[in-house]
Amino acid sequence: MADGRRHIGVAERRARLALRHRLAPPARAAAPEEVADSLVALHGSDPATVYLAVAARLADPAKAVPETERALYEDRTLVRMHGMRHTVFVFPTGLTAVVHASTGLAVAARERASLVKDMAAAGAPDAAWLAEVEAATLAALARRGQATAAELTADEPRLRERFAYAPGKSYEGVHTVSSRLLRVLGVEGKVVRGRPLGSWTSSQFRWAPAPEHPELDVAGAQSALLERWLRACGPATEADLKWWTGWRVTEVRRALSAIGAREVSLDEGTGHVAAGDEGPVEAPGEPWAALLPGLDPTAMAWQGRDWYLDPELRPLLFDRSGNVGPTVWWDGRVVGGWAQRPDGEVVWRIPEAGVRREAEAAVAAQAERLRAWLGTTRVTPRFRTPLERTLSA
């Protein structure tokens, strides 16, 4: 370009996505840790998403469940914790200090203040009482190693304390100290999610003590996280970065400056890449297909999605809150959706006839790959989307 910035077009952005997100067959991983390291974070609001996202990127998808459980609950090389945008993710354990300092501290302060305020408004015990209960709860969890909220309440009965929330409002209710306090402790990085009570698709988790990590400088941690994400997902616009991190734009700009990020030209305007990542990236070779789960970290990585998602597909693939459902990918872009029926069959739909003819064999092979490793397990996305509901019926 005349201003000296390199232009990165849609084709190259899709090539970067295919290789760096381990979706093209030559880039597939051997272990869940490699997947999480490549993507920075796996969306964990829907427990099944973690395993489905890993399986889609492993050379052997049958290893997804046992190897991810090993990494999460035995080796603790992965950890499920609150992260960006007050959302639960699975991170490489080595990133916990960076995530906590860069995104958790500010949210944690608001959450604790909100709990104390709500309890005071309801005439519940004060902050000093809450501190005593917190200390006793953490001690009980340390003794047990992992525990459910009910088990912790048996050890510390004061967790049963109930208080009215938002009386007189349309959303009024009754909260327990256990539910609110454990959430605060999670955001503060003191506890993390442990093993589920049921199978890998269960949304009920035990709690576990958080792995020890050093306290980091906020600005330094933000710089570290932003650079890590740019190397996985760059180029990205400032709006993409602000959306994914949940930070203020001033924090995004400060981190970009600190890491020496480079500006590039994108079809939609100015983008950013990590220093040294300005060079061209070649396509992986053969066109590739993938079936990714709802809330997949690739589908949800950027705020601006037109370069890989036709706007006409959005009403079919997203719910009203902006959560993406299961998607079918063909050579770097979303072309349709998929679902699992009650009998276990994995069905899919690509609305555009020309793309459907071109991608049919490859997509069918990925659907069979998914059906084979799921076996008798049935998966329903936590956030249902129009096309998924239609296909699964």
Side-chain angles (χ1 to χ4, degrees):
M1 291 188 67
D3 62 7
R5 296 183 302 173
R6 179 169 177 268
H7 182 75
I8 299 181
V10 167
E12 184 178 336
R13 295 186 78 179
R14 292 176 179 173
R16 287 170 172 248
L17 177 156
L19 296 171
R20 297 180 181 185
H21 288 209
R22 297 185 175 272
L23 292 171
R28 285 181 181 155
E33 291 93 336
E34 294 178 22
V35 176
D37 190 63
S38 296
L39 293 166
V40 182
L42 303 171
H43 209 298
S45 296
D46 184 339
T49 291
V50 175
Y51 296 87
L52 292 166
V54 167
R57 295 166 170 87
L58 287 183
D60 181 0
K63 293 182 177 179
V65 172
E67 285 296 288
T68 302
E69 289 184 334
R70 170 196 55 75
L72 280 168
Y73 309 125
E74 296 173 21
D75 296 347
R76 299 293 295 273
T77 48
L78 299 178
V79 62
R80 189 188 304 266
M81 61 181 281
H82 279 87
M84 299 71 62
R85 306 186 306 280
H86 207 167
T87 301
V88 174
F89 290 88
V90 168
F91 296 98
T93 300
L95 265 185
T96 56
V98 168
V99 172
H100 177 61
S102 65
T103 66
L105 290 177
V107 173
R110 292 196 298 269
E111 281 289 307
R112 181 169 286 274
S114 175
L115 173 56
V116 172
K117 179 182 176 181
D118 291 342
M119 289 179 64
D126 61 12
W129 178 91
L130 186 64
E132 291 180 7
V133 175
E134 174 185 337
T137 300
L138 290 174
L141 184 58
R143 288 193 299 271
R144 286 181 175 269
Q146 293 195 21
T148 64
E151 289 169 336
L152 291 172
T153 299
D155 292 342
E156 174 45 81
R158 288 176 292 183
L159 286 170
R160 296 193 183 96
E161 183 81 23
R162 296 157 63 90
F163 59 94
Y165 173 74
K169 303 289 182 63
S170 59
Y171 49 89
E172 70 176 318
V174 176
H175 287 187
T176 61
V177 170
S178 64
S179 62
R180 289 287 298 273
L181 179 59
L182 287 169
R183 179 178 178 82
V184 168
L185 295 177
V187 176
E188 290 179 339
K190 296 176 181 177
V191 300
V192 296
R193 306 296 175 93
R195 283 187 180 274
L197 295 183
S199 73
W200 58 272
T201 63
S202 173
S203 60
Q204 293 185 306
F205 288 90
R206 296 174 176 87
W207 293 95
E212 293 186 7
H213 57 75
E215 295 297 327
L216 302 181
D217 167 69
V218 172
Q222 289 179 335
S223 297
L225 185 63
L226 195 76
E227 181 167 19
R228 184 80 171 260
W229 188 86
L230 272 182
R231 294 197 180 280
C233 300
T237 65
E238 190 176 88
D240 292 329
L241 295 166
K242 181 179 182 298
W243 177 81
W244 188 83
T245 60
W247 304 339
R248 297 186 299 270
V249 69
T250 53
E251 294 174 308
V252 170
R253 290 172 179 171
R254 180 182 65 193
L256 285 170
S257 176
I259 66 173
R262 304 291 190 261
E263 287 190 355
V264 294
S265 167
L266 305 176
D267 289 354
E268 61 265 47
T270 299
H272 304 272
V273 295
D277 193 30
E278 305 96 315
V281 174
E282 294 186 5
E286 295 296 320
W288 54 273
L291 272 61
L292 300 185
L295 297 178
D296 186 84
T298 297
M300 296 290 288
W302 300 268
Q303 184 184 53
R305 300 171 179 142
D306 289 357
W307 60 275
Y308 64 90
L309 173 65
D310 186 336
E312 293 187 2
L313 290 176
R314 288 176 185 254
L316 296 174
L317 300 176
F318 286 77
D319 69 9
R320 293 180 180 179
S321 298
N323 299 302
V324 70
T327 50
V328 174
W329 291 69
W330 175 240
D331 211 22
R333 64 188 180 110
V334 177
V335 295
W338 65 272
Q340 185 187 40
R341 288 183 173 161
D343 64 0
E345 181 185 8
V346 175
V347 294
W348 52 274
R349 180 179 299 170
I350 299 176
E352 188 178 334
V355 176
R356 186 166 61 249
R357 287 192 297 270
E358 179 184 2
E360 183 172 9
V363 172
Q366 292 303 308
E368 175 56 25
R369 183 178 190 258
L370 176 58
R371 185 208 62 76
W373 80 260
L374 281 175
T376 59
T377 302
R378 301 294 176 262
V379 178
T380 301
R382 179 178 177 183
F383 303 104
R384 309 293 298 276
T385 50
L387 184 55
E388 186 274 329
R389 287 182 181 275
T390 298
L391 291 175
S392 62

